[in-house]
């Protein structure tokens, strides 16, 4: 089964940024944006760990993937979007990361989804790692 690793590297009170790597495949960097760690699990980033992902199709997010068995959570997706305003606890992907007017963001999100669709199948494993302690 395909293995994906998301390594979180930066977080503050607004967002968490990371890098996503498909194991065994050489590809351009894929950046991620998630919610920050919050006191309530409803809109916080999900805990580090290993999750099964399955293809997900909905009107709002066609062609995305859902992380299964996230404790206390449902509908956690990998999908396109740019800023924390575009996610309710999901993982956004992009081809670049940065900020505009101090707002963390990923850019080239649709391109990142297209790239991932070329590598990933309808089911894969994702491991999420917190690379360092955050000061956010």
């Amino acid at each position: 089964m395909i293995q994906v690793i998301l390594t979180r590297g930066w977080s503050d009170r607004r967002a968490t940024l990371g890098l996503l790597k498909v194991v065994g495949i050489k590809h351009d960097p894929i950046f991620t944006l998630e919610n920050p760690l919050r006191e309530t699990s409803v809109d916080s980033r999900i805990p580090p760990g290993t999750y099964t992902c399955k293809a997900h199709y909905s009107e709002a997010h066609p062609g995305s993937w859902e992380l299964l068995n996230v404790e206390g959570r449902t509908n956690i997706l990998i999908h396109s979007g740019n800023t924390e305003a575009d996610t309710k606890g999901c993982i956004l992907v992009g081809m670049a990361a940065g900020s505009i007017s101090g707002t963390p963001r990923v850019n080239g999100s649709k391109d990142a989804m297209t790239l991932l669709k070329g590598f990933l199948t309808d089911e894969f494993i994702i491991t999420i790692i917190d690379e360092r302690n955050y000061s956010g």
Side-chain angles (χ1 to χ4, degrees):
M1 185 173 295
I2 293 174
Q3 301 280 322
V4 173
I5 298 174
L6 189 168
T7 305
R8 294 170 173 154
W10 177 89
S11 187
D12 71 3
R13 62 179 174 73
R14 298 162 298 177
T16 299
L17 296 174
L19 278 171
L20 189 123
K21 171 72 178 137
V22 180
V23 176
I25 296 176
K26 186 175 179 170
H27 59 81
D28 290 336
I30 299 171
F31 295 87
T32 62
L33 185 138
E34 302 172 79
N35 286 344
L37 183 61
R38 295 190 171 127
E39 291 184 27
T40 64
S41 66
V42 175
D43 64 347
S44 181
R45 66 177 184 240
I46 64 170
T50 299
Y51 304 93
T52 298
C53 292
K54 288 200 174 200
H56 174 85
Y57 300 92
S58 68
E59 189 174 320
H61 300 292
S64 58
W65 295 276
E66 180 178 9
L67 282 72
L68 305 177
N69 301 317
V70 177
E71 188 173 339
R73 305 278 294 277
T74 59
N75 298 316
I76 303 300
L77 306 178
I78 297 172
H79 64 81
S80 61
N82 301 109
T83 67
E84 191 221 356
D86 299 325
T87 179
K88 294 180 182 172
C90 296
I91 299 168
L92 307 179
V93 294
M95 300 304 295
S99 68
I100 294 180
S101 300
T103 301
R105 63 181 294 118
V106 291
N107 296 320
S109 191
K110 290 181 181 178
D111 292 338
M113 286 296 291
T114 299
L115 183 66
L116 286 172
K117 288 174 187 176
F119 300 140
L120 300 178
T121 57
D122 285 349
E123 186 172 341
F124 61 91
I125 300 294
I126 187 169
T127 299
I128 300 172
I129 301 166
D130 284 344
E131 185 173 85
R132 64 182 185 93
N133 294 326
Y134 301 112
S135 61

